[in-house]
Amino acid sequence: MIQISVVVPVFNEEESLPELTQWISRVMTQHGFSYEVILINDGSTDRSWEVIQNLSGNNKFLRGLNFTRNYGKSAALDAGFRRAEGEVVITMDADLQDSPDEIPELYEMIKGGLDVVSGWKKERHDPISKTIPSKFFNGVTRWISGIQLHDFNCGLKAYRNKVVKNITIYGEMHRYIPLLAKWNGFQKIGEKVVQHQARKYGYSKFGLERFLNGFLDLISVSFVHRYKKKPMHFFGTLGTLSFLSGFLITCWLIFEKVYGLSRGIKVREIVDQPLFFLALVAIVVGVQLFVTGFIAELMTSSNSKEAEYKIDEEINFDF
């Protein structure tokens, strides 16, 4: 039984890979862990895959996956999770800003009973243009998710193996793995202050747009969690409200017209009133939302999600 699987997404990090793998191997050897390191090359345009191939020839514990193109960090983590065999699965970035020296403590926290341990980069070596938006982003995520973590976006995390085998991540959902774990019944989520190191090679591959994408993803993952298996509850509720509001307004206009005629009061034609057309639109929209809900229910009952990435080559995986 492998004790630890280290899953590392790689995108244009050819310079840091030799040092990172040596560092991980040194830590594992010092603590006597049985382990594997899974490096997922996410469509790098530099020599990253060539470096992984060379390193794997000298390290039997190193596994490699090569994507046909850049699919994103979530796809890379999902591919690594599917192949991880360790009792504890640890993720980290390939840029050497996450320290492998944290691995033993993360491992012990999982073995101590936690399902997920998220790293917290309490002291960051990033410019203020990243730290301030990050604090705001994490604050909003805590408020919406109810999970009291300081740093949802930290790449250094540890999971019990059954956690990663029971979640599927896609798009940009890697920021919300603790949230996905919680919604899948894994409630024991902890946090550990970890060392954040200054970038040694290259430059950051993420810009400020990741914070906007992060908020959109948070809305998306919240919606999917609540209504994935019951879309009619969402569309049906909106459809009912829209249809009833339009229907009641129409009934009122008809009543007003009939009442006026019975009393000899001059009343505007119903079709001459803008409110009538608003009511008509509300009724049509309500029916459309109902139909959308039915279609979504049919799709939910018959659709199975396939992997949204293609793997070109694998190294050291035995099936």
Side-chain angles (χ1 to χ4, degrees):
M1 176 68 71
I2 297 175
Q3 291 175 287
I4 300 176
S5 293
V6 182
V7 178
V8 185
V10 177
F11 181 65
N12 292 346
E13 298 289 357
E14 60 175 321
E15 298 167 306
S16 63
L17 287 174
E19 185 175 340
L20 175 64
T21 54
Q22 290 174 9
W23 193 353
I24 293 173
S25 296
R26 185 171 65 251
V27 171
M28 296 299 187
T29 301
Q30 287 175 351
H31 292 81
F33 290 128
S34 57
Y35 73 99
E36 63 178 353
V37 180
I38 304 175
L39 301 175
I40 305 96
N41 182 44
D42 185 24
S44 297
T45 56
D46 64 359
R47 295 177 57 256
S48 291
W49 180 240
E50 183 180 338
V51 172
I52 293 173
Q53 290 176 308
N54 294 334
L55 292 171
S56 65
N58 302 319
N59 187 342
K60 65 178 180 179
F61 303 109
L62 194 149
R63 329 251 192 251
L65 295 174
N66 186 39
F67 282 175
T68 55
R69 65 172 177 83
N70 178 251
Y71 287 96
K73 189 173 183 179
S74 291
L77 288 175
D78 188 70
F81 287 166
R82 294 190 182 195
R83 288 160 175 77
E85 299 180 0
E87 296 176 281
V88 175
V89 179
I90 293 177
T91 61
M92 62 173 52
D93 295 333
D95 55 13
L96 294 175
Q97 290 192 282
D98 296 330
S99 172
D101 289 329
E102 307 283 356
I103 291 176
E105 290 189 44
L106 291 170
Y107 174 80
E108 292 300 329
M109 292 177 74
I110 295 295
K111 296 299 289 183
L114 293 176
D115 295 316
V116 179
V117 178
S118 180
W120 174 19
K121 296 175 287 189
K122 194 172 184 178
E123 294 184 11
R124 298 186 57 172
H125 298 279
D126 285 327
I128 194 171
S129 59
K130 282 190 175 182
T131 55
I132 291 181
S134 180
K135 288 181 178 180
F136 178 72
F137 165 79
N138 284 305
V140 173
T141 306
R142 281 195 300 273
W143 173 61
I144 293 178
S145 69
I147 302 176
Q148 299 305 308
L149 295 178
H150 291 85
D151 193 355
F152 284 85
N153 204 41
C154 180
L156 187 58
K157 291 183 173 67
Y159 309 90
R160 194 177 300 277
N161 184 281
K162 64 180 180 180
V163 174
V164 301
K165 298 301 184 184
N166 283 280
I167 61 174
T168 301
I169 54 175
Y170 56 92
E172 295 293 327
M173 299 300 183
H174 59 273
R175 300 176 181 89
Y176 305 111
I177 298 180
L179 185 55
L180 295 174
K182 177 185 176 182
W183 285 340
N184 280 277
F186 302 102
Q187 304 286 336
K188 300 176 182 178
I189 300 174
E191 186 173 53
K192 180 185 182 302
V193 176
V194 297
Q195 181 181 358
H196 183 233
Q197 305 190 134
R199 173 175 278 275
K200 191 173 182 178
Y201 303 105
Y203 58 92
S204 175
K205 311 302 187 299
F206 301 98
L208 291 176
E209 71 278 359
R210 69 173 179 168
F211 296 107
L212 174 59
N213 293 336
F215 286 118
L216 297 177
D217 292 335
L218 181 59
I219 295 172
S220 175
V221 75
S222 299
F223 174 82
V224 168
H225 165 67
R226 292 186 180 183
Y227 301 108
K228 180 179 180 180
K229 298 299 183 183
K230 45 185 179 182
M232 178 55 85
H233 289 200
F234 175 76
F235 293 106
T237 300
L238 292 180
T240 299
L241 293 175
S242 180
F243 183 87
L244 285 179
S245 61
F247 179 75
L248 291 175
I249 291 173
T250 302
C251 290
W252 168 256
L253 293 174
I254 294 174
F255 170 77
E256 189 180 44
K257 177 70 174 179
V258 173
Y259 180 80
L261 291 175
S262 65
R263 294 300 181 93
I265 302 173
K266 187 176 181 180
V267 183
R268 292 174 60 188
E269 292 292 332
I270 294 177
V271 294
D272 290 338
Q273 301 186 50
L275 192 59
F276 169 74
F277 293 99
L278 291 177
L280 189 62
V281 169
I283 292 173
V284 172
V285 169
V287 173
Q288 289 179 329
L289 286 171
F290 260 105
V291 173
T292 301
F294 282 123
I295 294 174
E297 287 283 352
L298 292 173
M299 293 177 64
T300 299
S301 63
S302 61
N303 183 48
S304 60
K305 195 168 198 53
E306 297 182 354
E308 298 180 345
Y309 49 82
K310 302 297 181 184
I311 296 173
D312 180 55
E313 192 174 352
E314 301 184 7
I315 298 176
N316 288 347
F317 284 97
D318 297 321
F319 296 97

